[in-house]
Amino acid sequence: MSDGAMGIGNWELDCVLGYWVLRTVTSDNNNSNSSSNNSCETTTNRSTTTMLRFNQSSTALAIVARSGALAVYNTDPFGGVYSSRNSGASVAELLFSTSLVTVVGPPGSDTELRVINTRKDVCICTLQYAERILNVHMNRQRLIAVFATHILIYDVATMKLLHRIGLDSSPTDGDSNIMLVSALSSSSSQCMLAYQQCAYVSTDDFEDSDTPLDAEETRNMIVFDTISMQRVSLIPCHQNAISGAILSQNGILLATCSIKGTIIRIFNTRTSKKVAEFRRGTLPARITSMSFSPDNTVLACCSGTGTVHFFNVPEYIAELGVSVTSKPSETTNTSTSTSTPTSIHELPLLSALTDDERDEVQLLINSVDSLPKASSKGTKKKKSSNSSSSALLWNRYKHYIPIPASISSLIAPQRDFASITFPGWPYAAMTVSLSSSRQCYVAMVGRSGNGDADRNAEVTMGEFVQCAIPSAVSSQSTETGSERAAVQIVHRAPFAV
C-alpha cells in the first residue's frame, strides 16, 4: 500500500497479527462542527437507541447497544457469533457472511470509522474525520461513508479513496438529528448508490417541525454508479421529506418512503419512472425498515407501530431488479392497434402513473357517467353489475378502455396482502429482512422509558422472530381486503447485548 492509497490526510502504517492497520486523520473545512445521531434505518437519536441491521444476504444480524456494545448473530439457526462490550460503536455494517464488520463510533461523536475482523477480534483499518459520520454502507467492491455535507467512496480491497460527492446543502451546524437517507446495492458489477439530494433535521413528529421538510431537495433521491463514478438519475419521490430507501440487488429498483409513512413507492432508477405504489396505512407512522425479497416479488416494511407489512410486487417489475438488461417487452409499445389491451404490456404506458396523470384520470372517471351511452332501440339502459366507472381509462386513441386488474395499483396504491403485529411495548428499534429461503426475519428492541438510566444499562434486551413469507393473494383480493394471507411464526428467541 502506498502513500497515494488513501488519497486524503496523514496516515501511519503498522502490522498487527498479520494485518495491515492504517490510521489516518482527515480534515475537512466544510461544516466541521456539524453533528448527527441518525442512521438510515431509524430517524431517532443514535445516542438513545439501539441499532439493528441485517447483512446483505439476511444470514446475520448486527446489534449495537446504547452503551456502544456490539453483537453479531446468525439468523438460521439463530445464535450469537461475536460480542464486544467495548467496541465503542453506534453503527455497524456487515459484509455478507464474512467476518468483516465496519463500525462507526464512538457514540456521541461518531467521527471514527473502523473495519474489524470479528473472527480474530482485530481492527484492520481505522479512519478518523473532523465531521460526524451519518451512515456507512459496504459491499464487496465499495465502502461508502455518508456525511451531512458530502459522501466518500472507497475501494474495499485497498481502502483507497476513489471519489467525493458534494451535497447541495446541509442543515444548521450543531443539530444533533441530521438525517441523510442513503442505500447501496449489493451487486459487485452493478454497484449503485442512492442518496438524498440534501440532508435535513429529523424530528419525532413530522407535523411539528421548524425545519424545511417540504424542501424539494429533501424529497429527491440521486442514483450514482460507484463503478463508473457517474450520476445515473435524479428521482422526485414524495411530497414530504424521504425517511428511508432501499435498492434491489442490481440497483435498478429503488423503494422509498417519506416521513409521513403512509405510502411506499418503487422507481426504475434507469428511467426515474415510478413503477409501483403501496399503501402502508392511512395514519402517519415512522417506517423503520424495508426489504426486498431476493427475487423482488415481495416488499416488506415495518413501522414504529410494531407491524410488519408484506406487499406483492408485480412479476414484470420484480424482473427488473434481478435482470442485467431490459427485455424487449419492457420497452414502450408503439403499436397502432386499436384492440382493447388485456395486459399491462399492451398498454401505451408501462410505468406507473405520475401524480398529475392520476389526477387527470380521476377527473375522467368522475365525468364518465355524464357521457352519452350508446344503447339498442327498445333496450332499457342500466349499469352492469360487473363494471364500474373506476375501471375505465382514457387511452391515447381517445377511447375509454377497461383497466386490467394487473395495473389497478398504478392508479390506486395497492395495500398489503399480509401483515403481522407484535404487541407488548413501544419499540426503540425494529428491522426486517427477507431471505432467499422465503423466510422473514424481524429483530426488535423495546423502549423501557427509563431515560438516562436505561441508556446506561449494562444489558440491552430484544427479540428475534423468524416467519415464513406468505404466498401473495390476487391483486383484486388485496384491493377489497376480502382475502389476506396468514403469516406463520417459525421461531422466536430473545437476545441480549
Side-chain angles (χ1 to χ4, degrees):
M1 192 176 294
S2 65
D3 187 285
M6 291 305 302
I8 56 174
N10 299 321
W11 57 270
E12 56 181 350
L13 195 61
D14 197 2
C15 187
V16 179
L17 298 178
Y19 290 95
W20 288 108
V21 179
L22 181 65
R23 299 179 177 88
T24 182
V25 177
T26 304
S27 59
D28 197 318
N29 295 327
N30 296 329
N31 198 21
S32 61
N33 295 324
S34 67
S35 60
S36 171
N37 284 324
N38 298 94
S39 68
C40 181
E41 285 72 22
T42 63
T43 56
T44 53
N45 192 298
R46 270 211 311 245
S47 64
T48 61
T49 189
T50 301
M51 191 225 71
L52 305 170
R53 184 177 290 186
F54 288 96
N55 67 347
Q56 298 86 347
S57 54
S58 304
T59 57
L61 169 68
I63 306 170
V64 177
R66 290 175 282 267
S67 62
L70 170 65
V72 179
Y73 286 81
N74 284 331
T75 56
D76 194 8
F78 185 74
V81 295
Y82 176 79
S83 179
S84 175
R85 290 282 184 182
N86 57 356
S87 67
S90 59
V91 175
E93 172 82 348
L94 302 174
L95 181 61
F96 291 90
S97 298
T98 69
S99 59
L100 295 182
V101 181
T102 301
V103 299
V104 173
S109 63
D110 299 328
T111 56
E112 184 178 85
L113 187 149
R114 289 173 291 138
V115 180
I116 300 174
N117 185 311
T118 57
R119 183 172 299 173
K120 296 189 176 183
D121 198 15
V122 60
C123 178
I124 302 174
C125 175
T126 299
L127 303 175
Q128 292 182 348
Y129 304 91
E131 191 174 340
R132 184 172 295 236
I133 306 170
L134 303 186
N135 210 346
V136 62
H137 305 285
M138 183 168 55
N139 61 22
R140 291 189 175 94
Q141 287 284 346
R142 299 290 183 257
L143 186 147
I144 313 295
V146 181
F147 302 83
T149 59
H150 61 278
I151 297 175
L152 300 180
I153 302 176
Y154 293 92
D155 178 80
V156 167
T158 63
M159 285 306 295
K160 176 183 179 181
L161 179 64
L162 300 177
H163 193 75
R164 183 186 189 276
I165 302 175
L167 301 179
D168 290 351
S169 60
S170 63
T172 305
D173 292 350
D175 286 316
S176 60
N177 284 327
I178 297 178
M179 179 78 172
L180 182 72
V181 176
S182 56
L184 180 68
S185 64
S186 59
S187 173
S188 299
S189 58
Q190 294 175 282
C191 191
M192 298 294 178
L193 170 68
Y195 60 93
Q196 205 164 11
Q197 191 171 1
C198 78
Y200 66 94
V201 178
S202 172
T203 61
D204 292 333
D205 186 359
F206 76 95
E207 292 180 341
D208 183 19
S209 173
D210 295 329
T211 58
L213 298 183
D214 58 347
E216 182 178 357
E217 292 81 3
T218 66
R219 299 174 291 176
N220 300 338
M221 292 292 290
I222 295 175
V223 180
F224 189 87
D225 189 334
T226 63
I227 302 297
S228 63
M229 299 302 171
Q230 294 180 346
R231 179 185 289 195
V232 176
S233 58
L234 171 65
I235 306 176
C237 298
H238 296 273
Q239 296 179 352
N240 297 286
I242 301 168
S243 64
I246 57 169
L247 285 164
S248 60
Q249 181 180 3
N250 64 0
I252 293 181
L253 296 181
L254 169 68
T256 63
C257 61
S258 74
I259 56 175
K260 192 174 181 180
T262 56
I263 295 293
I264 298 174
R265 289 171 176 154
I266 299 180
F267 299 88
N268 184 328
T269 59
R270 289 178 173 177
T271 63
S272 302
K273 296 292 186 180
K274 180 175 61 180
V275 295
E277 187 172 71
F278 306 103
R279 178 172 292 280
R280 180 208 57 81
T282 55
L283 298 178
R286 290 284 185 180
I287 294 178
T288 59
S289 176
M290 296 184 292
S291 176
F292 279 115
S293 61
D295 60 1
N296 302 306
T297 58
V298 177
L299 174 67
C301 79
C302 60
S303 66
T305 61
T307 302
V308 179
H309 302 265
F310 298 90
F311 302 95
N312 180 36
V313 181
E315 183 178 354
Y316 78 97
I317 296 176
E319 290 176 351
L320 292 175
V322 294
S323 61
V324 177
T325 58
S326 298
K327 296 182 178 181
S329 61
E330 293 166 357
T331 59
T332 302
N333 184 359
T334 58
S335 172
T336 58
S337 172
T338 58
S339 60
T340 300
T342 59
S343 70
I344 188 169
H345 299 292
E346 300 178 26
L347 286 172
L349 291 174
L350 297 185
S351 62
L353 299 177
T354 65
D355 292 338
D356 292 338
E357 290 169 336
R358 182 181 292 109
D359 292 340
E360 182 178 353
V361 169
Q362 188 61 51
L363 290 174
L364 291 170
I365 291 174
N366 293 339
S367 62
V368 68
D369 290 331
S370 63
L371 294 177
K373 306 290 193 305
S375 59
S376 300
K377 184 177 181 180
T379 303
K380 183 179 180 180
K381 294 189 296 181
K382 62 180 180 178
K383 291 184 178 180
S384 171
S385 59
N386 296 326
S387 63
S388 65
S389 61
S390 61
L392 299 174
L393 180 66
W394 186 258
N395 70 357
R396 65 176 182 176
Y397 308 114
K398 304 298 183 282
H399 295 291
Y400 281 102
I401 59 175
I403 299 178
S406 60
I407 63 164
S408 59
S409 63
L410 301 185
I411 294 179
Q414 185 178 348
R415 292 187 176 272
D416 58 0
F417 67 85
S419 64
I420 182 171
T421 301
F422 300 95
W425 55 33
Y427 294 98
M430 186 175 185
T431 189
V432 62
S433 185
L434 305 182
S435 73
S436 58
S437 57
R438 292 199 63 81
Q439 297 296 303
C440 171
Y441 303 123
V442 183
M444 55 201 120
V445 171
R447 190 191 307 275
S448 65
N450 293 330
D452 293 336
D454 182 55
R455 291 196 297 271
N456 297 327
E458 293 184 359
V459 178
T460 295
M461 301 298 297
E463 185 178 22
F464 172 85
V465 180
Q466 178 180 351
C467 306
I469 299 178
S471 299
V473 298
S474 65
S475 58
Q476 290 181 343
S477 299
T478 301
E479 294 171 5
T480 60
S482 59
E483 181 181 352
R484 292 180 61 80
V487 181
Q488 179 184 1
I489 295 180
V490 178
H491 178 68
R492 303 183 76 150
F495 61 79
V497 181

